[in-house]
Amino acid sequence: MAIVLGPNQYGKAENRLVTVSRNGSVHTIKDLTVSTSLRGDLADTHLTGDNAKVLATDTQKNTVYAFAKQAPVGEIEDFALRLGRHFVSSQEAITGARILIDEHGWERIDGHDHSFVRGSDEKRTTAVTIEGSQAWVVSGVRDLVVLKSTGSEFHGYPKDPYTTLKETNDRILATSVTARWRYVGTDVDWAKSFTEIRSIMLKTFADKHSLSLQQTLYAMGEAVLQARPEVAEVRLSMPNKHHFLVDLSPFGLENDNEVFYAADRPYGLIEGSVLRDDAPDAGLAWSTLPAF
Ligand SMILES: O=c1[nH]c(=O)c2[nH]c(=O)[nH]c2[nH]1
């Protein structure tokens, strides 16, 4: 029997980067969490502790901040591509890179020049993978919380000895959407694509009369693929944020779908991917990312 080193990568996780760009007195901020991860000829450090090929994670962190100064950060996809390509092209031993970026949103306060309010917990995300001269981009959104107060039913499921759930023709449907979409290439108007995909998903959630969260998930992915040729595949993770009708009968009160208990956990977790049947091969786009 021989023991061997398996797949490995290393980097600096969750660098918190905030930039201020100034146009006269009007400021614009970017608030990012950037994780870098490198792969390559890294057996020596694992097997003998020889670090000759290890670009320190501290150096990776510094590169993130220096790059933010040397050119405008721009769209997170472009910044991630720049960083990843730099690491792979500048270090002989490094053959691949994965750059993850989350962008935290700030809204301008009432047209104010330099004051902002954190709108919600929603994040725009990207995961860029570089391998040699190839690049893959998977972008997305996290913690996009939505609710509809009608237009959702759930019935027709199997009843076994453990089933207590009542069928319903009218319930609250709420979820916190994590969506990732894989781009066909890298020649994309990232900001426009993100804005339109987000808006398509929201519109579909709102418009689609839902017979299950699964049906809503598929409809959201399908609508994105129908409208956006630059996208090959959409993966969605949607926790069912249950809202249970409160039994008010002990108080002699009816509950006509008006008073709910918003349960925290457990929650149904509905996950799936929607893709074109002629989508180009995903390559390393999803490697080491969560399945959904
Ligand atoms: O939309 C739903 N899908 C399910 O699979 C499910 N299971 C459940 O208990 N409630 C729901 N709702």
Side-chain angles (χ1 to χ4, degrees):
M1 182 199 69
I3 294 174
V4 296
L5 176 66
N8 60 86
Q9 58 181 4
Y10 79 105
K12 194 68 102 190
E14 301 192 31
N15 298 286
R16 295 286 293 114
L17 165 67
V18 175
T19 64
V20 179
S21 46
R22 296 175 171 82
N23 182 2
S25 64
V26 179
H27 293 189
T28 303
I29 59 169
K30 279 225 175 250
D31 182 343
L32 309 181
T33 299
V34 182
S35 298
T36 63
S37 213
L38 307 182
R39 296 183 298 270
D41 177 9
L42 293 159
D44 293 349
T45 186
H46 291 89
L47 303 183
T48 71
D50 175 347
N51 295 324
K53 295 170 180 165
V54 179
L55 185 74
T57 69
D58 192 65
T59 308
Q60 297 177 40
K61 173 203 69 185
N62 292 342
T63 308
V64 170
Y65 292 107
F67 270 40
K69 167 64 187 170
Q70 286 169 340
V73 168
E75 299 306 319
I76 52 176
E77 290 84 357
D78 287 325
F79 192 54
L81 283 162
R82 275 174 62 210
L83 282 165
R85 284 175 171 145
H86 162 78
F87 290 127
V88 172
S89 62
S90 62
Q91 293 293 315
E92 205 182 317
I94 301 303
T95 55
R98 155 64 59 68
I99 312 293
L100 302 176
I101 304 183
D102 284 1
E103 178 167 6
H104 314 275
W106 290 94
E107 288 165 26
R108 201 172 282 288
I109 295 179
D110 259 351
H112 198 279
D113 281 355
H114 57 258
S115 297
F116 305 86
V117 56
R118 172 64 64 80
S120 76
D121 224 19
E122 180 187 338
K123 268 86 68 183
R124 174 175 162 187
T125 66
T126 196
V128 164
T129 310
I130 306 288
E131 185 65 31
S133 59
Q134 289 181 281
W136 295 269
V137 178
V138 173
S139 291
V141 66
R142 271 201 292 128
D143 302 321
L144 175 62
V145 180
V146 288
L147 179 151
K148 61 198 289 183
S149 51
T150 189
S152 166
E153 311 183 30
F154 190 65
H155 44 75
Y157 46 82
K159 316 296 180 302
D160 80 355
Y162 305 109
T163 303
T164 58
L165 184 72
K166 292 210 165 38
E167 303 201 323
T168 175
N169 295 310
D170 190 5
R171 66 173 182 173
I172 287 179
L173 186 64
T175 184
S176 174
V177 178
T178 296
R180 296 180 195 267
W181 45 89
R182 168 166 68 91
Y183 284 106
V184 174
T186 55
D187 186 15
V188 174
D189 180 341
W190 306 114
K192 179 162 189 276
S193 183
F194 173 81
T195 304
E196 303 216 343
I197 290 169
R198 180 181 180 280
S199 136
I200 291 164
M201 290 195 302
L202 290 179
K203 182 169 165 39
T204 308
F205 176 82
D207 287 349
K208 179 82 184 171
H209 186 95
S210 176
L211 298 177
S212 65
L213 188 51
Q214 288 89 332
Q215 185 197 25
T216 297
L217 178 152
Y218 183 82
M220 289 167 67
E222 181 186 39
V224 170
L225 291 171
Q226 278 167 350
R228 306 302 309 174
E230 72 273 25
V231 175
E233 176 180 1
V234 184
R235 295 191 180 185
L236 291 145
S237 177
M238 299 179 30
N240 193 351
K241 295 169 82 72
H242 303 297
H243 288 68
F244 295 116
L245 210 55
V246 178
D247 178 9
L248 298 175
S249 63
F251 323 118
L253 298 170
E254 293 210 343
N255 190 352
D256 191 17
N257 246 0
E258 288 179 294
V259 180
F260 295 86
Y261 166 65
D264 178 33
R265 60 191 66 174
Y267 49 89
L269 184 56
I270 312 301
E271 302 183 299
S273 60
V274 187
L275 58 164
R276 302 180 191 288
D277 59 4
D278 62 349
D281 189 79
L284 296 180
W286 300 104
S287 66
T288 74
L289 289 178
F292 295 102

